[in-house]
Amino acid sequence: MKSTFPLVIDGYWRDGADGSGEDVLNPATGDSLGQVAHASRADLDEALAAATRGLREWGAVSPWERGRILKAAADRLRADAGAIARTLTLEQGKPLGEAKVEVIRSAEFVEWAGEQGRRVAGRTFLGRDVGNRIEIETHPVGVVAAFTPWNFPMALAAKKFAGALGAGCSIICKPSEETPGSALALVKALLDSGVPKAAVAVVFGVPHEVSSYLISAPQVSKVTFTGSIPVGKMLAAAAGHAMKPITVELGGHAPTIVCGDVDPEKAADVLAQRKFANARQICLSPTRFFVEDAIGERFTARFVEHAKAWRVGDGLDPRTQMGPLANARRVEAMARLVADAVDHGATVASGGARLGNRGFFFAPTVMTDVPDETEILHSEPFGPLAPILPFKDEEAMLKKANGLEYGLSAYVFTGDETRRNRLKDALQFGTVGLNDVPSHPPEAPLGGWKESGYGTEGGIEILTPYQKTKFVSAR
Ligand code: NAD
């Protein structure tokens, strides 16, 4: 086998039928980690045939046993977390400690969905007429086609495998070609724990070719995607055309409101940490910092101190606080956004440029005096850029906070409970952190409002996107 990162179809780990592929780069060095295999149409046809069989085989396993298998897979992931985290760091760049947290979180999703799968129930009630009995049955929706990105290459794939398998579906996943190794490790844990080999497949290839083929394939009943808004819209249109349900978890541009009553240094300590985690390639990350005038200077000074002192380096180095960006596109995007802000009159208070000329490093960057019309205040930066925006008037600030097409997450920092609740109620976002910037735990349903997507992942409803109901009326 020539691929380091093969396809997994019907339990076979192999190259694509036509032998094509592409290099996977270590973002810390720019060096190749090996080839990822590309699937041809013949390979996708095989994956579809296997998934159709896998749906029957996995559906024939009792929910109780499915829960046991998924728990075993979660335990395997936890046991192998050190080795898998290394794979994740090498392909994605995040520091080893963050990578390990991601592996553990992936295990938690798999375990949670397996537990929920044991509780799937229908409903029975008496109809309007005597002798009429109504049953609502719950069924797995069918074969799932999933598309996952490179920022949390294991956890975002794990959410989809967990929900689909917990509900009794089979799944074909196309992870990002840039970060194939951790999704393959996830599938290995599932197969080694007893998930039927036909029920899970991993394919890579040319993204739009693979997604258009799978979405329109008659064997596929459900589509799920995490990634950018433009791609999400394309896939939602294709799914709509094929009349298939789709869950889309897309970008965010989180307003982070820091009110004048909080300790500015403490708030800056927490927010710098959350901002630079995963080099801010997190859809939920704080990105637009609205800081009330009274504490603006102190908050900014402390935030800049952090940005300057943040240790940027190879994620494998234990001293590293922030790794490289995941790919060269992000470095170019950061440079473009900074240049645009400067052209509009913004001040770069720290960072603002690429670091070194090997790998894809960019300095933690803080910008002040950022005019409303700069691009960074309108498009998600998906990188370590922090514009700090002073505010006096709450209503005007809220208008800006709610004024974009994004509706994924928002944050409020204040000790004033009345104000906190007022702001929470006014924010048009699917996730709101109050004196907190949470990551996504399996027990919470997470989903975007507005153009940040539709449908949710996680929570006690983790299986719902992968289920369909049947209304049975009997006399
Ligand atoms: P992109 O829009 O090209 O790709 C985003 C993801 O979608 C990638 O994983 C890619 O492999 C996949 N993809 C692209 N075209 C596809 C297609 N036709 N069918 C199926 N999958 C496809 O952008 P990018 O340069 O990789 O990332 C940049 C932007 O993506 C960021 O600015 C951010 O807004 C967004 N993003 C969001 C998330 C998230 O968690 N919501 C994750 C990654 C990227």
Side-chain angles (χ1 to χ4, degrees):
M1 186 167 63
K2 91 176 185 201
S3 314
T4 311
F5 305 100
L7 312 174
V8 186
I9 298 173
D10 208 4
Y12 294 102
W13 296 65
R14 60 170 181 78
D15 293 328
D18 63 11
S20 62
E22 65 186 285
D23 272 330
V24 177
L25 303 185
N26 174 349
T29 60
D31 296 340
S32 173
L33 295 168
Q35 280 254 313
V36 58
H38 277 198
S40 64
R41 286 201 168 185
D43 298 313
L44 296 178
D45 284 338
E46 270 186 47
L48 288 161
T52 306
R53 197 163 16 91
L55 179 67
R56 283 196 303 274
E57 291 175 12
W58 187 233
V61 176
S62 76
W64 194 264
E65 176 62 6
R66 289 200 297 248
R68 191 198 61 74
I69 291 172
L70 293 179
K71 165 83 164 68
D75 288 343
R76 254 194 182 82
L77 290 173
R78 283 188 275 256
D80 294 345
I84 299 174
R86 198 181 146 77
T87 301
L88 217 171
T89 294
L90 280 170
E91 66 186 11
Q92 202 275 344
K94 67 183 65 178
L96 212 44
E98 286 182 33
K100 203 160 173 187
V101 169
E102 179 172 346
V103 179
I104 301 296
R105 185 47 60 88
S106 304
E108 290 171 357
F109 268 95
V110 171
E111 183 170 3
W112 173 266
E115 288 165 356
Q116 291 304 111
R118 290 177 161 183
R119 300 187 183 103
V120 172
R123 299 197 301 275
T124 304
F125 50 97
L126 297 178
R128 297 177 182 205
D129 309 325
V130 177
N132 179 208
R133 195 181 164 87
I134 289 176
E135 285 180 33
I136 311 297
E137 297 176 352
T138 306
H139 295 265
V141 68
V143 174
V144 175
F147 306 92
T148 57
W150 42 261
N151 56 334
F152 284 94
M154 187 174 225
L156 297 176
K159 290 181 193 182
K160 300 187 189 306
F161 276 93
L165 293 171
C169 298
S170 60
I171 172 168
I172 303 171
C173 180
K174 190 203 79 59
S176 167
E177 288 66 28
E178 291 170 321
T179 51
S182 46
L184 288 171
L186 170 69
V187 161
K188 181 168 185 324
L190 292 166
L191 290 171
D192 288 351
S193 304
V195 174
K197 55 190 172 46
V200 286
V202 177
V203 296
F204 304 100
V206 178
H208 74 268
E209 289 176 7
V210 177
S211 60
S212 58
Y213 196 68
L214 290 182
I215 291 171
S216 61
Q219 297 93 328
V220 167
S221 300
K222 161 82 191 181
V223 183
T224 174
F225 171 74
T226 302
S228 67
I229 292 178
V231 174
K233 285 184 177 178
M234 268 164 33
L235 299 201
H241 187 70
M243 202 51 88
K244 291 175 187 173
I246 181 168
T247 301
V248 270
E249 204 271 86
L250 308 175
H253 202 342
T256 304
I257 302 166
V258 187
C259 298
D261 65 295
V262 302
D263 178 327
E265 281 82 19
K266 270 197 193 148
D269 292 350
V270 172
L271 286 170
Q273 201 282 327
R274 300 304 293 161
K275 171 73 198 172
F276 300 129
N278 200 9
R280 200 287 173 197
Q281 299 162 113
I282 309 179
C283 49
L284 289 173
S285 282
T287 42
R288 293 179 289 148
F289 293 85
F290 293 102
V291 183
E292 202 156 21
D293 264 356
I295 57 162
E297 263 176 45
R298 280 173 61 195
F299 178 90
T300 306
R302 182 65 155 243
F303 206 98
V304 167
E305 239 176 71
H306 279 299
K308 286 186 171 156
W310 220 250
R311 289 189 303 277
V312 182
D314 189 323
L316 292 180
D317 182 337
R319 291 164 303 181
T320 293
Q321 288 175 292
M322 186 178 105
L325 302 187
N327 52 54
R329 291 190 306 288
R330 295 315 322 140
V331 176
E332 285 153 21
M334 294 309 101
R336 200 189 64 240
L337 288 170
V338 172
D340 172 79
V342 170
D343 281 352
H344 282 90
T347 306
V348 177
S350 73
R354 185 179 176 186
L355 296 174
N357 54 13
R358 189 156 185 259
F360 311 130
F361 295 95
F362 201 90
T365 298
V366 182
M367 290 191 276
T368 56
D369 314 310
V370 187
D372 283 345
E373 55 284 5
T374 49
E375 191 186 341
I376 191 175
L377 298 190
H378 300 271
S379 8
E380 178 184 30
F382 227 64
L385 308 187
I388 298 186
L389 313 160
F391 78 92
K392 264 198 210 63
D393 176 29
E394 185 177 299
E395 216 167 293
M397 177 275 295
L398 267 176
K399 212 167 162 197
K400 288 184 191 171
N402 282 329
L404 304 183
E405 72 271 24
Y406 302 94
L408 194 63
S409 60
Y411 306 99
V412 177
F413 283 75
T414 175
D416 175 341
E417 209 171 324
T418 309
R419 191 173 194 197
R420 205 167 84 163
N421 288 334
R422 183 173 70 234
L423 289 169
K424 170 187 64 80
D425 290 344
L427 286 164
Q428 296 159 6
F429 295 82
T431 296
V432 176
L434 301 177
N435 298 324
D436 190 26
V437 182
S439 60
H440 181 199
E443 52 274 32
L446 185 130
W449 288 14
K450 301 202 264 184
E451 291 201 3
S452 290
Y454 45 81
T456 60
E457 293 189 303
I460 55 170
E461 53 274 73
I462 190 169
L463 307 182
T464 310
Y466 303 98
Q467 291 170 325
K468 60 189 175 191
T469 54
K470 185 179 279 182
F471 157 41
V472 181
S473 180
R475 284 184 193 278

